[in-house]
Protein backbone atom coordinates (compact mmCIF):
# COMPACT_ATOMS: atom_id res chain seq x y z
CA UNK A 1 0.00 0.00 0.00
CA UNK A 2 2.80 2.43 0.89
CA UNK A 3 4.55 1.58 -2.38
CA UNK A 4 1.40 2.46 -4.35
CA UNK A 5 1.07 5.79 -2.50
CA UNK A 6 4.72 6.60 -3.26
CA UNK A 7 4.21 5.75 -6.96
CA UNK A 8 1.08 7.91 -6.99
CA UNK A 9 3.02 10.84 -5.53
CA UNK A 10 5.83 10.38 -8.04
CA UNK A 11 3.34 10.19 -10.89
CA UNK A 12 1.54 13.30 -9.62
CA UNK A 13 4.79 15.23 -9.44
CA UNK A 14 5.81 14.04 -12.90
CA UNK A 15 2.44 15.08 -14.34
CA UNK A 16 2.68 18.49 -12.71
CA UNK A 17 6.18 18.89 -14.11
CA UNK A 18 4.96 17.78 -17.54
CA UNK A 19 2.09 20.23 -17.41
CA UNK A 20 4.49 22.99 -16.37
CA UNK A 21 6.59 22.22 -19.43
CA UNK A 22 3.48 22.28 -21.57
CA UNK A 23 2.47 25.61 -20.09
CA UNK A 24 5.87 27.05 -20.90
CA UNK A 25 5.49 26.02 -24.53
CA UNK A 26 7.45 22.76 -24.69
CA UNK A 27 6.85 21.49 -28.21
CA UNK A 28 4.72 24.47 -29.18
CA UNK A 29 6.92 25.49 -32.09
CA UNK A 30 6.82 22.07 -33.69
CA UNK A 31 5.44 21.78 -37.17
CA UNK A 32 5.17 18.01 -36.95
CA UNK A 33 1.41 17.71 -37.36
CA UNK A 34 1.92 16.43 -40.91
CA UNK A 35 3.36 13.14 -39.63
CA UNK A 36 -0.09 11.60 -39.11
CA UNK A 37 -1.22 9.98 -42.34
CA UNK A 38 -4.86 10.21 -43.39
CA UNK A 39 -5.73 6.77 -41.99
CA UNK A 40 -4.17 7.60 -38.59
CA UNK A 41 -5.94 10.95 -38.61
CA UNK A 42 -9.29 9.30 -39.37
CA UNK A 43 -8.74 6.72 -36.61
CA UNK A 44 -7.81 9.48 -34.18
CA UNK A 45 -11.01 11.38 -34.98
CA UNK A 46 -13.10 8.23 -34.50
CA UNK A 47 -11.45 7.55 -31.12
CA UNK A 48 -12.05 11.10 -29.94
CA UNK A 49 -15.69 10.86 -31.04
CA UNK A 50 -15.99 7.59 -29.09
CA UNK A 51 -14.47 9.18 -25.98
CA UNK A 52 -16.85 12.13 -26.22
CA UNK A 53 -19.85 9.87 -26.74
CA UNK A 54 -18.93 7.92 -23.61
CA UNK A 55 -18.59 11.16 -21.65
CA UNK A 56 -21.85 12.58 -23.00
CA UNK A 57 -20.16 15.81 -24.09
CA UNK A 58 -21.60 17.98 -26.86
CA UNK A 59 -19.51 20.79 -28.29
CA UNK A 60 -22.12 22.21 -30.68
CA UNK A 61 -23.80 24.38 -28.05
CA UNK A 62 -20.64 26.28 -27.12
CA UNK A 63 -20.21 29.78 -28.64
CA UNK A 64 -16.43 29.36 -28.84
CA UNK A 65 -16.93 26.12 -30.77
CA UNK A 66 -18.82 28.02 -33.47
CA UNK A 67 -16.04 30.59 -33.72
CA UNK A 68 -13.48 27.80 -33.88
CA UNK A 69 -15.28 25.88 -36.63
CA UNK A 70 -15.73 29.03 -38.73
CA UNK A 71 -12.09 30.14 -38.46
CA UNK A 72 -9.60 29.64 -41.28
CA UNK A 73 -6.92 26.97 -40.86
CA UNK A 74 -4.26 29.37 -39.58
CA UNK A 75 -6.57 30.97 -37.01
CA UNK A 76 -7.89 27.54 -35.96
CA UNK A 77 -4.34 26.31 -35.34
CA UNK A 78 -3.60 29.43 -33.28
CA UNK A 79 -6.80 29.02 -31.26
CA UNK A 80 -6.08 25.32 -30.72
CA UNK A 81 -2.58 25.98 -29.39
CA UNK A 82 -3.95 28.68 -27.09
CA UNK A 83 -6.47 26.15 -25.85
CA UNK A 84 -3.58 23.78 -25.04
CA UNK A 85 -2.54 26.18 -22.29
CA UNK A 86 -6.11 26.30 -20.98
CA UNK A 87 -6.26 22.50 -20.95
CA UNK A 88 -3.07 22.30 -18.92
CA UNK A 89 -4.30 24.88 -16.43
CA UNK A 90 -7.72 23.22 -16.11
CA UNK A 91 -6.12 19.86 -15.39
CA UNK A 92 -3.58 21.32 -12.97
CA UNK A 93 -6.19 23.20 -10.95
CA UNK A 94 -8.90 20.52 -11.12
CA UNK A 95 -11.21 22.58 -13.32
CA UNK A 96 -11.92 19.93 -15.95
CA UNK A 97 -15.55 19.99 -17.05
CA UNK A 98 -17.66 18.73 -19.94
CA UNK A 99 -17.31 21.96 -21.92
CA UNK A 100 -13.52 21.89 -21.63
CA UNK A 101 -13.46 18.24 -22.72
CA UNK A 102 -15.73 18.86 -25.69
CA UNK A 103 -13.96 21.98 -26.91
CA UNK A 104 -10.55 20.39 -26.41
CA UNK A 105 -11.65 17.36 -28.41
CA UNK A 106 -12.73 19.59 -31.27
CA UNK A 107 -9.36 21.35 -31.21
CA UNK A 108 -7.45 18.05 -31.21
CA UNK A 109 -9.52 16.75 -34.11
CA UNK A 110 -8.95 19.93 -36.12
CA UNK A 111 -5.27 20.27 -35.28
CA UNK A 112 -3.69 17.11 -33.79
CA UNK A 113 -0.52 18.83 -32.65
CA UNK A 114 1.55 16.84 -30.10
CA UNK A 115 1.03 19.52 -27.45
CA UNK A 116 -2.75 19.33 -27.86
CA UNK A 117 -2.72 15.53 -27.85
CA UNK A 118 -0.56 15.55 -24.71
CA UNK A 119 -2.73 18.02 -22.83
CA UNK A 120 -6.00 16.38 -23.86
CA UNK A 121 -4.64 13.03 -22.70
CA UNK A 122 -3.77 14.65 -19.35
CA UNK A 123 -7.38 15.85 -19.07
CA UNK A 124 -8.57 12.30 -19.63
CA UNK A 125 -6.18 10.96 -16.99
CA UNK A 126 -7.87 13.23 -14.47
CA UNK A 127 -11.10 11.33 -15.28
CA UNK A 128 -9.40 7.95 -14.90
CA UNK A 129 -9.44 7.20 -18.65
CA UNK A 130 -5.94 5.73 -18.72
CA UNK A 131 -6.30 3.59 -21.86
CA UNK A 132 -7.68 6.53 -23.84
CA UNK A 133 -4.93 8.78 -22.49
CA UNK A 134 -2.26 6.28 -23.46
CA UNK A 135 -3.67 6.12 -26.99
CA UNK A 136 -3.48 9.92 -27.35
CA UNK A 137 0.00 10.14 -25.83
CA UNK A 138 1.19 7.52 -28.32
CA UNK A 139 -0.35 9.44 -31.23
CA UNK A 140 1.64 12.46 -30.09
CA UNK A 141 4.73 10.27 -29.86
CA UNK A 142 4.34 9.40 -33.56
CA UNK A 143 4.98 13.06 -34.26
CA UNK A 144 7.64 13.78 -31.63
CA UNK A 145 9.26 10.47 -30.80
CA UNK A 146 12.00 12.00 -28.67
CA UNK A 147 9.90 14.50 -26.71
CA UNK A 148 10.78 13.79 -23.06
CA UNK A 149 7.47 15.19 -21.78
CA UNK A 150 5.49 12.75 -23.93
CA UNK A 151 7.76 9.86 -23.07
CA UNK A 152 7.45 10.64 -19.36
CA UNK A 153 3.68 10.84 -19.63
CA UNK A 154 3.57 7.50 -21.44
CA UNK A 155 5.83 5.95 -18.79
CA UNK A 156 3.60 7.29 -16.02
CA UNK A 157 0.47 6.01 -17.73
CA UNK A 158 1.96 2.55 -18.14
CA UNK A 159 2.93 2.69 -14.47
CA UNK A 160 -0.65 3.52 -13.50
CA UNK A 161 -1.87 0.64 -15.68
CA UNK A 162 0.52 -1.74 -13.91
CA UNK A 163 2.66 -2.41 -16.99
CA UNK A 164 6.00 -1.88 -15.26
CA UNK A 165 8.13 -3.20 -18.11
CA UNK A 166 6.70 -0.72 -20.61
CA UNK A 167 6.87 2.05 -18.01
CA UNK A 168 10.56 1.33 -17.49
CA UNK A 169 11.25 1.29 -21.24
CA UNK A 170 9.59 4.68 -21.72
CA UNK A 171 11.28 6.15 -18.64
CA UNK A 172 14.64 5.12 -20.10
CA UNK A 173 13.73 6.72 -23.44
CA UNK A 174 12.70 9.91 -21.65
CA UNK A 175 15.98 10.06 -19.75
CA UNK A 176 18.06 9.55 -22.88
Amino acid sequence: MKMHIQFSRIISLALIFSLFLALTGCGRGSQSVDKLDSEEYQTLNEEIDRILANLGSDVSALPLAKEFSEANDEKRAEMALDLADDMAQAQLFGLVNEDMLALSAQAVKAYPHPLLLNNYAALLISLGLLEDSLYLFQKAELQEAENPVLLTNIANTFLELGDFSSAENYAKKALS
Side-chain angles (χ1 to χ4, degrees), residues 13-176:
L13 289 173
L15 285 173
I16 289 170
F17 178 71
S18 297
L19 290 171
F20 171 76
L21 290 175
L23 285 170
T24 59
C26 179
R28 184 176 268 259
S30 171
Q31 297 299 319
S32 56
V33 173
D34 299 337
K35 291 186 182 176
L36 290 181
D37 66 30
S38 61
E39 186 176 319
E40 289 170 331
Y41 182 74
Q42 180 63 35
T43 303
L44 174 67
N45 283 339
E46 290 169 3
E47 281 299 306
I48 291 172
D49 287 341
R50 182 192 58 75
I51 292 166
L52 285 174
N54 289 339
L55 295 173
S57 299
D58 180 23
V59 73
S60 61
L62 300 174
L64 189 57
K66 184 175 190 242
E67 180 184 346
F68 184 83
S69 66
E70 293 174 354
N72 64 33
D73 288 343
E74 185 177 321
K75 181 66 176 172
R76 190 176 301 147
E78 180 184 323
M79 291 173 73
L81 287 173
D82 286 342
L83 183 60
D85 290 342
D86 296 338
M87 287 191 286
Q89 290 174 11
Q91 199 280 333
L92 183 63
F93 296 114
L95 302 174
V96 178
N97 60 37
E98 285 185 24
D99 290 347
M100 174 60 76
L101 289 168
L103 190 56
S104 299
Q106 184 180 14
V108 170
K109 286 173 61 174
Y111 190 66
H113 187 280
L115 179 60
L116 285 163
L117 289 163
N118 177 73
N119 291 6
Y120 190 61
L123 290 180
L124 296 178
I125 282 177
S126 69
L127 300 175
L129 301 174
L130 297 172
E131 297 282 343
D132 294 326
S133 296
L134 182 60
Y135 172 80
L136 294 170
F137 285 138
Q138 289 177 322
K139 286 298 179 188
E141 181 192 14
L142 289 175
Q143 299 177 62
E144 292 188 0
E146 295 183 17
N147 183 320
V149 172
L150 293 173
L151 297 172
T152 300
N153 288 342
I154 294 170
N156 288 329
T157 306
F158 274 125
L159 191 60
E160 280 289 309
L161 290 168
D163 185 345
F164 301 113
S165 176
S166 295
E168 181 181 18
N169 289 337
Y170 273 95
K172 286 178 181 178
K173 283 184 188 179
L175 289 171
S176 69

